[in-house]
Amino acid sequence: MTLPRHRALAILDECTGDHIWSPQHCADRGLPNDWVTRLGDAHESGFRDDSETIYTDRGVTNQYHGIRDVDLAVRIGRELGVDVDRILFTQTTRVAIVAAIKEAVIDDL
């Protein structure tokens, strides 16, 4: 594991499935640089539904570069030995995916 278990658990605890973390937020949490590079992407807002819209502390934005916390939760789940593929197959929302990963990690403690 490239991330100490205690850090992985603390980061996973922050994930909700609804957020995009900035590279700075990731660095502040101790995420390895290679994770930030691999998982980071440019995300675009959609405006048909509020759940598609990206909000920052400055309001609505069209584009935002960062890491979706659901992708981070998936990566951490795999690192911790969770059957993430089963979760991805059975859960239909980002929030449900993160919750199922957290539950699987707790069950393994």
Side-chain angles (χ1 to χ4, degrees):
M1 174 180 274
T2 59
L3 188 63
R5 184 175 176 82
H6 71 281
R7 284 290 345 121
L9 293 172
I11 291 168
L12 179 61
D13 188 51
E14 278 191 64
C15 295
T16 65
D18 280 335
H19 295 107
I20 302 171
W21 291 19
S22 71
Q24 184 59 52
H25 186 80
C26 293
D28 292 346
R29 299 307 181 270
L31 228 64
N33 288 334
D34 63 317
W35 285 34
V36 175
T37 301
R38 283 190 209 150
L39 297 174
D41 202 358
H43 303 278
E44 290 189 22
S45 277
F47 297 102
R48 285 179 284 154
D49 186 276
D50 191 53
S51 67
E52 298 174 350
T53 306
I54 299 172
Y55 295 92
T56 68
D57 55 350
R58 296 181 181 173
V60 174
T61 186
N62 289 333
Q63 290 188 337
Y64 189 80
H65 185 272
I67 298 174
R68 296 184 323 157
D69 68 351
V70 66
D71 296 332
L72 190 54
V74 166
R75 175 68 189 263
I76 290 171
R78 285 195 170 111
E79 291 282 327
L80 296 174
V82 171
D83 184 359
V84 172
D85 292 328
R86 180 189 57 77
I87 291 170
L88 293 172
F89 184 73
T90 59
Q91 302 302 320
T92 58
T93 67
R94 296 182 310 262
V95 171
I97 290 167
V98 171
I101 291 169
K102 288 179 177 182
E103 184 176 327
V105 168
I106 289 170
D107 288 347
D108 286 344
L109 292 179

